Amino acid sequence: ARPLMLQYENMPNLRIISCSLRPWKITLRLSALLLALALSGCRATAQEAVRPYVFRMMTYNIHHGEGLDRKVDLERIAALIKREKADIVALQEVDKGVPRTDYRDLTAELSALTGMTGVFSNNYNFQGGEYGNAMLTRFPVKRWTNLHYVMIRPGEQRGLLQLVLDAGGRELVVMNTHIDYRTDDEERMLNVGEIHRVAAQYGDVPMLISGDFNDLPGSRVHKKLAEVFDDVWETAGSGEGVTFPGDKHRIDYVWRARNAALSAIKAWTVQSDASDHLPLVVEFSFR
């Protein structure tokens, strides 16, 4: 085989370069180079695979959009959600077609204002309209459903909204609820039992449960939830974590299923007059 001759014209001081490598040697060295590049790509892919996937979840009782100034202002709620860079938002006390909020669809409006997908679940027919919980999310929604709790006394029907999301290629179950407020905790305890049963149906899929639980840390309701879930404020928050300033109570929570491949990085509340509750935000990473 003849040596390869590479001719470079019109280049001063460099007219002919002679390469003595034979074709089979070039092929061998090229193969080695391609293999090295491939291995480098595999290492990069492996690093991508183990890199934590970080996202933020917010739970917020919006009091049908009415702030402490008695004005219904969804734009300030949307601005708060965007400022905190929430990827998933669990909303409670949400109106749809209710006279007190001018028959507006609050979920649809907040979805448009934030650029997030909105899912609303009606729990209670109120003033000729609908009233319940909603979720906003930046992740694709694979499926969703809503459970109406068993009621033991007349009053507002409560529910458990459940979404299965595609969070960066991984399934994530998020639930949203707002349970009974009365001093007697019997109905809340029954609700928690139903939450446990529903959660068990999802097996080992990573799961977060959030909302307004109308009870305090250390209560019977809190202890029963803690049998299966972790109150993420206890590991990732700092201070009292008050979410209902009127009574200076922490009654809004984000819970993590104990078998979940999720870690809570940090948790915080956001000061705002947009509702009678404060939003709670938690940053998570997939392990």
Side-chain angles (χ1 to χ4, degrees):
R2 296 179 181 176
L4 295 180
M5 302 296 294
L6 304 180
Q7 182 78 31
Y8 287 81
E9 297 180 356
N10 302 320
M11 293 181 63
N13 305 320
L14 182 60
R15 296 191 178 183
I16 299 177
I17 297 176
S18 176
C19 179
S20 62
L21 288 179
R22 298 181 183 277
W24 67 269
K25 289 187 177 181
I26 292 176
T27 302
L28 184 62
R29 293 193 178 186
L30 181 59
S31 298
L33 176 61
L34 292 174
L35 178 60
L37 290 172
L39 291 174
S40 175
C42 288
R43 284 193 294 271
T45 303
Q47 289 172 355
E48 289 289 332
V50 300
R51 182 177 298 165
Y53 186 85
V54 177
F55 65 92
R56 290 182 178 181
M57 181 166 188
M58 173 187 291
T59 184
Y60 195 9
N61 183 326
I62 63 169
H63 189 50
H64 60 268
E66 182 181 308
L68 298 181
D69 57 4
R70 299 183 179 276
K71 294 180 181 178
V72 175
D73 187 346
L74 297 185
E75 289 189 357
R76 62 183 168 186
I77 292 175
L80 186 153
I81 291 170
K82 290 191 288 186
R83 187 175 69 242
E84 297 304 315
K85 298 179 176 157
D87 300 293
I88 307 166
V89 185
L91 304 171
Q92 303 87 43
E93 296 193 15
V94 183
D95 283 1
K96 181 179 181 181
V98 176
R100 69 178 174 187
T101 45
D102 296 325
Y103 303 95
R104 295 158 67 181
D105 184 339
L106 304 192
T107 306
E109 290 188 36
L110 286 170
S111 174
L113 288 168
T114 60
M116 303 170 81
T117 300
V119 177
F120 171 77
S121 61
N122 178 36
N123 291 325
Y124 184 53
N125 295 325
F126 179 66
Q127 293 183 356
E130 300 174 80
Y131 179 68
N133 302 316
M135 299 282 281
L136 303 173
T137 178
R138 301 189 191 284
F139 299 130
V141 179
K142 299 183 74 172
R143 59 188 182 276
W144 71 272
T145 188
N146 186 51
L147 169 74
H148 282 168
Y149 294 127
V150 174
M151 303 285 290
I152 63 172
R153 53 172 71 96
E156 179 186 332
Q157 174 68 59
R158 308 280 177 164
L160 179 65
L161 177 58
Q162 308 149 55
L163 275 66
V164 179
L165 305 177
D166 180 348
R170 312 179 196 193
E171 277 200 347
L172 173 67
V173 176
V174 289
M175 300 190 190
N176 178 20
T177 194
H178 182 193
I179 59 179
D180 187 62
Y181 67 93
R182 283 165 275 212
T183 303
D184 177 4
D185 68 1
E186 184 179 359
E187 190 161 302
R188 285 194 296 281
M189 292 294 285
L190 287 174
N191 295 161
V192 173
E194 291 181 86
I195 291 171
H196 284 334
R197 288 191 290 275
V198 169
Q201 296 172 5
Y202 290 95
D204 293 331
V205 179
M207 179 184 303
L208 299 171
I209 300 176
S210 61
D212 181 351
F213 288 82
N214 273 315
D215 224 326
L216 301 172
S219 65
R220 289 205 312 156
V221 168
H222 188 274
K223 289 177 180 177
K224 188 171 180 65
L225 279 161
E227 292 175 3
V228 178
F229 309 106
D230 290 328
D231 174 1
V232 298
W233 185 265
E234 293 183 347
T235 57
S238 177
E240 295 181 348
V242 171
T243 59
F244 190 62
D247 292 334
K248 297 182 179 178
H249 286 162
R250 181 162 79 93
I251 59 176
D252 302 88
Y253 301 85
V254 175
W255 297 85
R256 181 186 66 88
R258 202 157 288 140
N259 63 354
L262 291 170
S263 296
I265 301 171
K266 58 182 177 179
W268 64 97
T269 57
V270 183
Q271 296 302 312
S272 173
D273 294 335
S275 171
D276 58 347
H277 285 243
L278 299 180
L280 166 64
V281 188
V282 185
E283 188 169 276
F284 289 97
S285 70
F286 275 101
R287 293 172 184 161

